[in-house]
Amino acid sequence: MKYATRMNHIRASEIRELLKLTEQPDIISFAGGLPAPELFPVRELADILHGLASREGQSFLQYGTTAGHGPLRETISRRLRQTQGVRIDADQVLITNGSQQGLDFAGKLFLDKDSVLLCENPTYLAAINAFKAYEPRFVTVPTDRDGMLPDALAAVLERERDVRMIYVIPDFQNPTGISWSAERRTQFMDIIKETDIPVLEDNPYGELRFEGETPPTLMSLDKKGQVIGLGTFSKILCPGLRVGWLAGAPQFITRLELIKQGADLHTSHLTQACIQRYAECCDLEGHIGQIRTLYKSRRNVMLDEIRCRFPDEADIVPPAGGMFLWMTLPRHVNTRVLLERSLDRKVAFVPGGSFFHEGGHENTMRLNFSNTPEDRIPEGIRRLREAYDAM
Amino acid sequence: MKYATRMNHIRASEIRELLKLTEQPDIISFAGGLPAPELFPVRELADILHGLASREGQSFLQYGTTAGHGPLRETISRRLRQTQGVRIDADQVLITNGSQQGLDFAGKLFLDKDSVLLCENPTYLAAINAFKAYEPRFVTVPTDRDGMLPDALAAVLERERDVRMIYVIPDFQNPTGISWSAERRTQFMDIIKETDIPVLEDNPYGELRFEGETPPTLMSLDKKGQVIGLGTFSKILCPGLRVGWLAGAPQFITRLELIKQGADLHTSHLTQACIQRYAECCDLEGHIGQIRTLYKSRRNVMLDEIRCRFPDEADIVPPAGGMFLWMTLPRHVNTRVLLERSLDRKVAFVPGGSFFHEGGHENTMRLNFSNTPEDRIPEGIRRLREAYDAM
């Protein structure tokens, strides 16, 4: 028995393992990346599902097309124009099982063993895990509070010969919650356009902005068709239907469609149609507004509580949207140890070190504020302080 | 811009391209591999979906676990015991998006570039397309009407040093409809057990047997835990929900779960729960009985009509189950040309040459009988004869 060499690199996500621990109902978990389920429009979705299956079941329960349900691709195309001002035709959209599948497909499309993938430092762990299946070399580009550092990017591009893809999350990044400034986005694209390297712009949280101006997406600044956009309904509607998309130049989408065909033929026809009907017949934009309002208020509670409980210890960049708050503790603190103490007190978070490909940064942590009701957040932060003091 | 080298191998499936042509309603299509949609239990599924989303939507529309919905894994474990007599615990089952995703995952688990994959000749095209992403060398083992030839298999194993996986479809194979004899299954396992090569047993049609005795599956003959079973609800319930599974030894399932995590986190929680509730509360076994009855009668009509219209030209092994009938025409006939003539007459099928990795066999064809109503089949075969005569 011999496994493929890629299996030496693929390991269980620390976070998913941690999430298993935090499934007990008495734990206050700031660990996961879960949306607030109390906002899921369950009654509308139930009615739509019933209608689709009972009236059009012979079609929606049958095999569907690989690229996805036509009307849903149209809807995504229309919303990309409305929310980002980009012109992406419906046939430049490929439906995936959540955006995680888009990460896997982009890796499959571009990455050979030992070729180079550029990403932010820190970056989204599950993306790294998806890319590892293709055995690239990861090269990280430093970021600060305004996004990726242009000079550092230029230096890396100068040095590395076989860069196949750049993976970035410019809006409310996972894990840091940081949103790149408009200036940094322009600087990034100015550097990129001198190359022919494709950019994968992962944007699950962009529509969850609850304050400040919306800067242009990379896709909207892209003149050459280099940017592939990755989107999802998981954060603006619900994740359990597993519907996301890849959007970009036809040469990419045609090839990604072939990959989709081999990978699982197509995404559930029924769940796609369900989302399309919701977007068409219900108030998706109003629903997103509700999410923003709720998350903003949860963030405020968490921020106030941290400022009150960790007045001198916590360094925070208040996120203007998304689902995460990034906290840096004094240098000597190891948040993996803090997590152990915290779990004793039934509160959980994700130690930040996990998100740095080269390690280090053990004094950082990611706190999710979208999934905990406001009246539980203060108690969670109080327990966290207790755990901190017990170290 | 540079794509991964695997993209040189991945091409559009001839069949999926062909299916696009045959979507016009006036075509009689024997080309696809579609189940009969008129049997989908649309009312029951609609009610179940409504109940799940409205009463438990906060849970079923939220993120789920990577391995799959627990009760569904239990159901699959129980049914494997009932239908195949194998003991596979629920935690040895991983839920996938249809069995196509299982093919991709098995390839990801075992295949390195230039390592060897053994398969039948002919074999299922979409499996080959999934495996191609991992750039293996394909080595085919000849088959006859009773299945894979043991001597040929032994010879290949003697010759090839780096065989990573053997891919087979012993029950009502796609494309030939052939079911391996019980003796051949035993002979196969006797040879395999002397090695440590994993076997991927793809079994989408095994429960669609409408005559004859059911021979043991390879999984049920496996004493060493070498066989990974690949199953799906697509053919016994409906394909549009995209739910299949991989079942096997814990060492495989643990690793396949890591692959699933990177590939798309998990399969839709709602569609999994829907199938589980159907299996629990409705009459799945009775439903499969209905499918068998309908397909048998459609096969009979097609068989009779072919025997009547092509009395001397067609060589057929009548399939005892499944969805396909394999037809061999006289040596000089090229079924790709016949297909062109047939499409002019609004009837479609799949030329058999496509299923042979090394080419040849251009006088064979695959006819699907599950998706065409009985009263349309004779007309389709009549047009086929007309096309044949026009060549």
Side-chain angles (χ1 to χ4, degrees):
Chain A
M1 181 95 47
K2 206 174 149 190
Y3 296 109
T5 63
R6 70 179 59 84
M7 296 310 294
N8 300 329
H9 312 294
I10 300 178
R11 268 180 230 107
S13 145
E14 219 172 319
I15 298 180
R16 301 275 300 174
E17 292 306 303
L18 180 61
L19 287 180
K20 286 184 190 166
L21 280 180
T22 62
E23 268 168 15
Q24 310 149 40
D26 55 338
I27 280 216
I28 298 178
S29 178
F30 303 134
L34 276 62
E38 54 274 41
L39 289 188
F40 296 162
V42 293
R43 221 165 320 150
E44 289 93 328
L45 293 176
D47 289 343
I48 290 171
L49 285 163
H50 189 270
L52 288 171
S54 61
R55 284 194 294 275
E56 297 166 86
Q58 291 200 15
S59 156
F60 288 122
L61 297 168
Q62 184 60 284
Y63 283 110
T65 50
T66 298
H69 182 50
L72 180 62
R73 298 167 80 199
E74 294 283 353
T75 297
I76 292 166
S77 159
R78 176 177 54 73
R79 293 195 80 250
L80 284 172
R81 199 160 50 240
Q82 287 167 355
T83 60
Q84 299 188 24
V86 293
R87 290 200 75 89
I88 289 280
D89 292 340
D91 59 6
Q92 291 174 259
V93 174
L94 176 81
I95 304 296
T96 57
N97 301 329
S99 54
Q100 183 71 27
Q101 191 176 50
L103 296 168
D104 180 52
F105 288 179
K108 220 172 198 172
L109 179 60
F110 294 115
L111 303 176
D112 280 311
K113 190 170 183 170
D114 300 323
S115 66
V116 173
L117 177 104
L118 297 195
C119 58
E120 296 166 274
N121 196 31
T123 191
Y124 177 45
L125 257 187
I128 298 300
N129 279 332
F131 300 143
K132 274 184 178 167
Y134 306 104
E135 303 175 90
R137 200 154 55 79
F138 293 91
V139 174
T140 59
V141 183
T143 57
D144 66 10
R145 292 174 177 217
D146 289 319
M148 193 176 267
L149 295 167
D151 291 349
L153 173 64
V156 168
L157 289 174
E158 185 65 33
R159 199 176 68 224
E160 295 292 344
R161 296 292 86 186
D162 192 23
V163 178
R164 298 290 182 85
M165 178 166 78
I166 307 181
Y167 170 68
V168 292
I169 316 161
D171 289 275
F172 314 122
Q173 202 230 19
N174 185 350
T176 61
I178 279 172
S179 193
W180 294 16
S181 68
E183 193 190 356
R184 282 288 172 83
R185 291 167 194 246
T186 312
Q187 290 171 327
F188 176 88
M189 289 309 295
D190 281 346
I191 295 170
I192 289 307
K193 74 168 188 241
E194 302 301 320
T195 74
D196 61 358
I197 303 169
V199 174
L200 187 62
E201 180 180 32
D202 192 1
N203 191 5
Y205 315 110
E207 295 196 56
L208 305 184
R209 171 177 288 278
F210 36 71
E211 59 193 27
E213 294 246 322
T214 302
T217 60
L218 301 183
M219 215 174 191
S220 71
L221 297 172
D222 177 26
K223 300 276 186 295
K224 283 177 63 181
Q226 275 174 289
V227 177
I228 302 175
L230 198 55
T232 179
F233 287 99
S234 294
K235 309 302 192 287
I236 57 172
L237 190 55
C238 61
L241 296 175
R242 309 304 300 128
V243 177
W245 67 88
L246 284 157
Q251 58 166 329
F252 296 140
I253 298 300
T254 313
R255 287 174 171 85
L256 289 162
E257 186 179 341
L258 292 180
I259 289 175
K260 175 82 179 162
Q261 192 173 287
D264 66 359
L265 296 183
H266 66 89
T267 291
S268 168
H269 208 160
L270 184 77
T271 56
Q272 289 183 67
C274 172
I275 286 179
Q276 202 280 322
R277 294 287 160 99
Y278 182 84
E280 189 183 297
C281 310
C282 304
D283 184 16
L284 176 59
E285 313 309 325
H287 177 68
I288 296 171
Q290 284 184 354
I291 298 176
R292 283 193 202 111
T293 306
L294 184 73
Y295 289 7
K296 178 176 187 176
S297 131
R298 289 184 177 180
R299 181 211 60 169
N300 287 346
V301 173
M302 183 176 274
L303 208 51
D304 289 350
E305 199 64 28
I306 290 173
R307 282 175 174 154
C308 161
R309 299 263 175 203
F310 293 83
D312 306 314
E313 299 84 355
D315 181 29
I316 293 171
V317 194
M323 298 169 35
F324 301 110
L325 191 146
W326 184 250
M327 181 157 138
T328 305
L329 290 170
R331 219 166 260 281
H332 67 276
V333 179
N334 184 322
T335 57
R336 292 181 208 264
V337 180
L338 177 61
L339 177 62
E340 285 171 33
R341 299 283 174 281
S342 300
L343 286 173
D344 294 341
R345 286 161 182 82
K346 307 254 182 216
V347 61
F349 62 87
V350 182
S354 330
F355 299 97
F356 292 85
H357 189 252
E358 289 97 356
H361 305 267
E362 296 295 350
N363 57 327
T364 59
M365 58 202 284
R366 189 192 78 177
L367 295 162
N368 167 273
F369 53 80
S370 61
N371 192 242
T372 306
E374 270 165 60
D375 56 348
R376 301 271 285 160
I377 292 175
E379 172 62 14
I381 301 297
R382 194 194 62 74
R383 293 185 196 173
L384 198 63
R385 178 71 215 203
E386 222 179 82
Y388 182 86
D389 291 332
M391 285 216 303
Chain B
M1 178 96 48
K2 207 174 149 190
Y3 295 110
T5 63
R6 70 178 60 85
M7 296 310 294
N8 300 329
H9 312 293
I10 300 178
R11 270 181 229 105
S13 146
E14 219 171 320
I15 297 181
R16 302 274 301 175
E17 291 306 304
L18 180 60
L19 287 180
K20 286 184 190 165
L21 281 180
T22 62
E23 269 170 12
Q24 310 149 38
D26 55 339
I27 280 216
I28 299 178
S29 177
F30 303 133
L34 276 62
E38 54 274 40
L39 290 187
F40 296 163
V42 292
R43 221 163 323 146
E44 288 94 329
L45 293 176
D47 289 343
I48 291 170
L49 285 164
H50 189 269
L52 289 170
S54 60
R55 282 194 295 274
E56 297 166 85
Q58 290 200 16
S59 157
F60 287 121
L61 297 168
Q62 184 59 284
Y63 282 110
T65 51
T66 299
H69 182 49
L72 181 63
R73 298 166 80 199
E74 294 282 355
T75 297
I76 292 166
S77 159
R78 176 177 55 73
R79 293 195 79 251
L80 284 172
R81 199 159 52 242
Q82 287 167 355
T83 59
Q84 302 189 21
V86 293
R87 291 199 73 89
I88 290 281
D89 292 341
D91 59 7
Q92 292 174 257
V93 174
L94 176 81
I95 304 297
T96 56
N97 301 329
S99 54
Q100 183 71 27
Q101 191 175 48
L103 295 168
D104 180 51
F105 287 179
K108 219 172 199 173
L109 179 59
F110 294 116
L111 304 177
D112 280 312
K113 190 169 184 172
D114 300 323
S115 66
V116 173
L117 176 106
L118 297 194
C119 59
E120 296 166 272
N121 196 31
T123 191
Y124 177 45
L125 258 187
I128 298 300
N129 279 333
F131 300 143
K132 274 182 179 168
Y134 307 103
E135 303 175 272
R137 199 152 55 80
F138 293 91
V139 175
T140 60
V141 183
T143 57
D144 67 10
R145 292 176 176 214
D146 290 319
M148 194 176 267
L149 295 167
D151 291 349
L153 173 63
V156 168
L157 289 175
E158 185 66 33
R159 199 177 68 224
E160 294 293 344
R161 295 293 85 185
D162 192 23
V163 178
R164 296 291 180 86
M165 178 167 76
I166 307 181
Y167 169 68
V168 292
I169 316 160
D171 289 274
F172 316 122
Q173 202 230 19
N174 185 349
T176 63
I178 280 171
S179 193
W180 294 16
S181 69
E183 194 190 354
R184 282 288 173 81
R185 292 167 193 246
T186 312
Q187 289 170 328
F188 177 88
M189 289 308 296
D190 282 346
I191 294 170
I192 290 307
K193 75 169 186 237
E194 302 302 320
T195 74
D196 61 357
I197 302 168
V199 174
L200 186 62
E201 182 180 31
D202 191 2
N203 191 7
Y205 316 110
E207 296 196 56
L208 305 184
R209 173 177 288 277
F210 34 71
E211 60 195 26
E213 295 245 322
T214 302
T217 60
L218 301 182
M219 215 174 192
S220 71
L221 297 171
D222 177 27
K223 300 276 185 293
K224 283 176 63 182
Q226 275 175 289
V227 177
I228 301 173
L230 198 56
T232 179
F233 287 99
S234 294
K235 309 304 193 289
I236 58 172
L237 190 55
C238 61
L241 295 176
R242 309 305 299 131
V243 177
W245 67 86
L246 283 157
Q251 58 167 329
F252 296 139
I253 298 301
T254 312
R255 288 176 170 85
L256 289 163
E257 187 179 339
L258 292 181
I259 289 175
K260 174 82 180 163
Q261 192 173 289
D264 65 0
L265 296 182
H266 67 88
T267 291
S268 166
H269 208 160
L270 184 78
T271 58
Q272 290 184 65
C274 173
I275 287 180
Q276 202 280 322
R277 294 287 160 99
Y278 182 85
E280 190 183 298
C281 310
C282 305
D283 184 17
L284 177 58
E285 313 309 325
H287 176 69
I288 297 172
Q290 285 184 353
I291 298 176
R292 284 193 201 109
T293 306
L294 184 74
Y295 289 6
K296 179 177 186 175
S297 131
R298 289 184 176 180
R299 180 212 59 172
N300 288 344
V301 172
M302 185 176 274
L303 207 53
D304 289 350
E305 200 63 29
I306 291 173
R307 281 175 175 152
C308 162
R309 299 262 176 205
F310 293 83
D312 305 315
E313 299 84 355
D315 181 30
I316 293 170
V317 194
M323 298 171 32
F324 301 111
L325 191 146
W326 185 249
M327 181 156 136
T328 306
L329 289 170
R331 218 166 260 282
H332 67 275
V333 179
N334 184 321
T335 57
R336 293 182 206 263
V337 180
L338 177 61
L339 176 63
E340 286 172 32
R341 300 282 175 282
S342 300
L343 287 173
D344 294 342
R345 287 163 182 82
K346 307 255 180 215
V347 61
F349 61 87
V350 181
S354 331
F355 299 97
F356 292 86
H357 188 252
E358 288 97 356
H361 304 266
E362 295 294 351
N363 57 326
T364 59
M365 56 202 283
R366 189 191 79 175
L367 295 161
N368 167 272
F369 54 80
S370 62
N371 191 243
T372 307
E374 272 165 58
D375 56 349
R376 299 271 286 161
I377 293 175
E379 172 61 15
I381 301 296
R382 194 194 63 74
R383 293 186 195 171
L384 198 62
R385 177 72 215 202
E386 222 179 81
Y388 183 85
D389 290 332
M391 284 216 304

